[in-house]
Amino acid sequence: MGGTVENVRVVVRLRPMDQREKIDGTYNCVSVDSVNNTIAVTRSNVSPPDPPRIYAYDAVFDSNTSQTEFSGSDFDIQEPYLALRFDSEL
């Protein structure tokens, strides 16, 4: 196996809640910490509330990040990367 080894960088962009989710009163269970490049998933609709689950990535972008800002980030689309989609509801 003499191939080239490449690292995969994982970038997460949280999408905004859509109109149906807002009408249904769905709560946003995902929060973004762009300083530490982490996502926290919290289930506060259970009793007792679960502690947040924290996940770290190479970069994270919140739901206010525009497509232009995302595309202009340091993560060039030509480089190997994995884009994850988080639904903002459980």
Side-chain angles (χ1 to χ4, degrees):
M1 297 188 147
T4 301
V5 176
E6 294 188 34
N7 293 325
V8 175
R9 297 187 306 170
V10 181
V11 179
V12 176
R13 179 182 175 206
L14 182 68
R15 69 167 176 81
M17 293 179 78
D18 65 25
Q19 194 62 32
R20 179 194 53 83
E21 292 166 333
K22 292 176 184 176
I23 291 171
D24 290 346
T26 304
Y27 77 97
N28 186 353
C29 65
V30 179
S31 59
V32 174
D33 179 349
S34 57
V35 173
N36 295 309
N37 291 324
T38 59
I39 300 287
V41 180
T42 306
R43 291 184 58 202
S44 59
N45 63 340
V46 295
S47 184
D50 290 341
R53 293 182 178 147
I54 309 295
Y55 303 95
Y57 300 96
D58 292 299
V60 296
F61 298 89
D62 65 19
S63 60
N64 297 316
T65 304
S66 71
Q67 183 63 40
T68 303
E69 292 170 318
F70 182 71
S71 298
S73 70
D74 290 338
F75 294 91
D76 186 350
I77 198 165
Q78 301 301 319
E79 294 183 27
Y81 76 97
L82 174 64
L84 299 178
R85 178 179 171 225
F86 273 98
D87 286 328
S88 57
E89 63 180 289
L90 288 177

